[in-house]
Amino acid sequence: MNPADPILNAFLATVFTWLMTLAGAALVFLPVRAERKLLDSSLGFAAGIMIAASFWSLLVPAIELSALNGYAEWLPPALGFLAGGLFLSGVDKIIPHLHPGCDPEDAEGLPTTWKRNRLLLLAVAIHNIPEGLAVGVAFGAAAATGELAAPIILALGIGIQNLPEGAAVSLPLRGEGLSEWRSFTYGQVSGLVEILGGLAGAILVYSFSWVMPYALGFAAGAMIFVVIEDIIPECQSGGNTDLATVSALLGFVLMMILDLALS
């Protein structure tokens, strides 16, 4: 990868994260049941990776770039972080969506007559937007610093957590009565939005260099919003609280090790 070509790098990296989602979704073709323990541990693991990635791969570079640009070290990351969380909160209230396992009357967002399958797909797509955005922004920042290690590690970490996440989407859909192919399609298509988010993030940061620390903070805030709003409540709701929590710790430690050992 060439640091000077962040848009291509972001595209390749998010294609990788999508392929990992596809691989996880393909588990629906195997004789694997959507055991609640498996789903809760997978979601907990994904939460741990996302929390660690938000700090090590996004907020720390945002702080460093703020200092290099002569800003107060805390200001751009803090403003970006809050903006990212508030943006996802607004999206959550506007776009109709339904989380797996919920009844249709529990759909969030604006009222709609859309079918359950579309609402389930939108819920996961909203979840995946910040992940793609984070990868794109990180590669955009790498074009200025010349350091590719951090965005590559971020993409690797998100790809690793997308593997169980793809299964956590397709297996419950299969359990709700969808065919194997439809469950697989919804599971892997939900990861395609990461490519769009990655391209948007890289183009924005590459075009407006001053926005880099704000954008890194924005991506971190959006990811943390998803973790707190969706992933943690869902993985704690099935009664496997200790398993989900330990899985989150393992995910966090894995991402931390990747970032520190390979950077």
Side-chain angles (χ1 to χ4, degrees):
M1 287 184 170
N2 181 358
D5 196 349
I7 297 173
L8 177 61
N9 293 341
F11 174 74
L12 294 175
T14 49
V15 166
F16 162 73
T17 62
W18 165 66
L19 289 174
M20 293 293 282
T21 304
L22 183 148
L27 291 177
V28 76
F29 295 111
L30 301 178
V32 178
R33 293 168 53 193
E35 296 287 350
R36 187 70 205 198
K37 286 186 177 181
L38 173 63
L39 297 178
D40 289 345
S41 61
S42 297
L43 289 169
F45 185 77
I49 285 185
M50 291 178 70
I51 293 171
S54 296
F55 177 73
W56 298 104
S57 299
L58 296 172
L59 288 177
V60 169
I63 292 169
E64 294 172 348
L65 282 171
S66 296
L68 288 174
N69 292 333
Y71 305 137
E73 290 183 348
W74 57 270
L75 185 59
L79 292 177
F81 187 88
L82 292 175
L86 292 173
F87 174 78
L88 256 290
S89 178
V91 169
D92 222 31
K93 289 179 173 59
I94 294 173
I95 298 180
H97 61 283
L98 178 68
H99 297 287
C102 294
D103 296 325
E105 57 268 22
D106 295 326
E108 301 177 25
L110 297 176
T112 181
T113 58
W114 290 349
K115 293 183 178 180
R116 177 183 178 84
N117 294 346
R118 181 180 295 183
L119 294 174
L120 289 168
L121 179 61
L122 284 172
V124 183
I126 293 171
H127 173 165
N128 286 346
I129 289 173
E131 297 176 11
L133 180 65
V135 173
V137 167
F139 275 106
T145 63
E147 295 291 336
L148 275 175
I152 290 176
I153 293 167
L154 175 62
L156 178 61
I158 289 178
I160 291 172
Q161 68 98 22
N162 276 0
L163 185 63
E165 190 175 80
V169 175
S170 63
L171 292 177
L173 291 176
R174 179 68 178 120
E176 292 184 2
L178 271 69
S179 68
E180 291 179 347
W181 274 104
R182 292 191 71 183
S183 300
F184 167 72
T185 299
Y186 285 140
Q188 60 88 19
V189 165
S190 65
L192 286 175
V193 298
E194 292 187 7
I195 299 177
L196 300 178
L199 291 174
I203 291 171
L204 173 66
V205 172
Y206 188 60
S207 302
F208 306 98
S209 60
W210 62 270
V211 83
M212 287 182 189
Y214 297 95
L216 288 165
F218 183 95
M223 287 179 64
I224 293 297
F225 178 89
V226 168
V227 170
I228 297 174
E229 170 78 5
D230 295 331
I231 300 180
I232 290 179
E234 187 171 345
C235 72
Q236 295 285 320
S237 65
N240 302 303
T241 55
D242 288 345
L243 176 63
T245 302
V246 171
S247 298
L249 294 175
L250 292 174
F252 185 97
V253 169
L254 175 62
M255 189 64 199
M256 180 180 67
I257 292 173
L258 287 175
D259 200 284
L260 294 177
L262 300 180
S263 61

